[in-house]
Amino acid sequence: MEMIEIHIESDIVRARQAARSLAESLGFSILSKTRVATAVSELARNTFTYGGGGSMKLEKISDRTRVGVHCIFVDKGPGIEDIVKAMTPGYTTGKGLGFGLSGSKRLMDDFKIESEVGNGTRIEVIKWK
Amino acid sequence: MEQIPILKIGPVLIVTIQTELHDRKAEELQEAILRRIQKTGASVVTVDITALEIVDSFIGRVLSETARMAKIMDTRVVLVGMRPAVTITLLEMGLELEGIDSAIDIEDGLKKLGFELRKIESPETRSERETMLAGEEAPDYGDD
Ligand SMILES: Nc1ncnc2c1ncn2[C@@H]1O[C@H](COP(=O)(O)OP(=O)(O)OP(=O)(O)O)[C@@H](O)[C@H]1O
Ligand SMILES: [Mg+2]
């Protein structure tokens, strides 16, 4: 298990590199490593930009038949008022393209988002090998 | 922080990204490219992203924004060397890099825009090549 603090911009790069190297050590394909690193980059950036910083917990996950990469992003920022809207491709309250949340959901196998206005956001994702 | 080199060859600016691009650096690169276009009046910019292991929505936005702004100055931007895994990942995310052409390598990129790269040969290598190729058919570069 690895905790990666996300407080400055270069932490986004650290987070995606850590996720990529875990995927690599588990024998992920180049394509799947790229998917994981890209999704983590998006989610870490949201944690930094909108969540006012937070952390990513990164660990290997396994069940009886497979292994995967498991990440949990937590921040204590303003939270997301309308999750359905936030998950819609092209929706942004900032100056982004609005593809971070919807895009990372598509890239990962499992995507869980919890958010409470005033209390922050927690996003949990899994990519199986 | 080291600079990303921008070479100028005739009307072409050649940008090669050699390191991981964090967000601020991507924005600095955009500024640097646009400044060089303004200064040189270049008609084409090739941006080599072979070294990029990922392109996410942020880098994607910076790249298409750069292309859009360059277009206003009558300059085309060609992305070169995008890794296959990166291309597929962008497609899967539903991200389109608007306003950007892409190419396999710089030569291919310039060719698409109607430029031809010619090697500058010394008389010796030239005659050597001609002897070597004598009797062979001209190489086929495809028909595009
Ligand atoms: N951790 C977070 N805390 C608060 N709001 C968030 C968080 N993550 C996302 N959001 C909200 O959800 C919206 C959509 O996020 P998404 O990542 O899809 O797009 P974006 O960040 O605006 O643009 P892009 O990711 O394409 O650069 C954001 O504009 C923001 O309003
Ligand atoms: Mg985002």
Side-chain angles (χ1 to χ4, degrees):
Chain A
M1 200 271 280
E2 212 177 327
M3 278 301 271
I4 296 191
E5 296 295 322
I6 302 170
H7 293 295
I8 56 173
E9 193 212 77
S10 57
D11 292 337
I12 300 169
V13 176
R14 270 196 325 125
R16 72 180 181 228
Q17 283 174 343
R20 190 187 174 91
S21 64
L22 175 58
E24 177 139 34
S25 73
L26 298 178
F28 276 53
S29 69
I30 292 176
L31 178 54
S32 273
K33 273 190 298 197
T34 306
R35 289 176 176 133
V36 169
T38 307
V40 165
S41 189
E42 297 294 351
L43 298 173
R45 182 175 297 104
N46 284 352
T47 300
F48 171 72
T49 314
Y50 301 110
S55 63
M56 172 181 80
K57 184 175 155 192
L58 173 69
E59 63 189 342
K60 172 185 159 183
I61 186 170
S62 46
D63 64 14
R64 241 176 290 162
T65 57
R66 49 193 184 164
V67 291
V69 172
H70 182 202
C71 312
I72 303 175
F73 297 83
V74 178
D75 68 63
K76 294 267 160 239
I80 300 174
E81 221 177 88
D82 186 338
I83 292 182
V84 175
K85 236 187 197 168
M87 292 296 304
T88 308
Y91 176 83
T92 179
T93 59
K95 52 172 191 163
L97 295 173
F99 276 86
L101 287 177
S102 57
S104 43
K105 182 173 184 199
R106 287 164 130 193
L107 293 177
M108 303 300 275
D109 295 319
D110 239 58
F111 186 100
K112 243 184 271 159
I113 177 168
E114 286 160 33
S115 190
E116 202 184 315
V117 173
N119 252 327
T121 301
R122 181 183 185 279
I123 295 178
E124 188 174 352
V125 291
I126 296 173
K127 185 77 187 170
W128 297 105
K129 187 187 156 190
Chain B
M1 197 161 50
E2 89 256 42
Q3 289 282 312
I4 293 168
I6 303 180
L7 298 178
K8 182 176 178 301
I9 301 179
V12 181
L13 294 180
I14 297 179
V15 182
T16 308
I17 297 170
Q18 280 151 333
T19 53
E20 178 91 52
L21 265 193
H22 59 72
D23 297 3
R24 196 160 25 78
K25 194 155 181 181
E27 283 171 337
E28 281 169 12
L29 179 65
Q30 175 182 55
E31 276 171 38
I33 291 173
L34 294 173
R35 230 180 298 122
R36 277 298 282 280
I37 293 175
Q38 215 167 29
K39 228 168 80 183
T40 60
S43 54
V44 176
V45 183
T46 67
V47 182
D48 190 328
I49 59 165
T50 312
L52 291 188
E53 291 186 334
I54 69 149
V55 170
D56 59 20
S57 65
F58 187 91
I59 299 170
R61 177 172 64 82
V62 170
L63 291 171
S64 9
E65 228 176 67
T66 307
R68 219 170 29 240
M69 291 177 177
K71 209 169 190 173
I72 295 170
M73 299 188 265
D74 232 5
T75 306
R76 293 180 68 177
V77 175
V78 185
L79 271 193
V80 164
M82 185 183 286
R83 300 182 184 196
V86 171
T87 308
I88 294 169
T89 300
L90 282 174
L91 281 174
E92 286 177 345
M93 284 180 82
L95 258 182
E96 247 178 87
L97 302 188
E98 268 171 61
I100 277 202
D101 293 308
S102 61
I104 297 159
D105 56 30
I106 290 183
E107 188 166 357
D108 174 38
L110 293 176
K111 223 163 148 187
K112 273 194 178 159
L113 298 170
F115 288 87
E116 278 287 352
L117 280 188
R118 275 182 241 277
K119 288 200 184 88
I120 299 168
E121 291 178 305
S122 66
E124 293 81 15
T125 50
R126 186 191 173 115
S127 72
E128 202 179 296
R129 181 176 57 86
E130 281 170 355
T131 327
M132 229 168 58
L133 288 177
E136 276 182 35
E137 273 182 63
D140 179 13
Y141 290 117
D143 52 11
D144 58 334

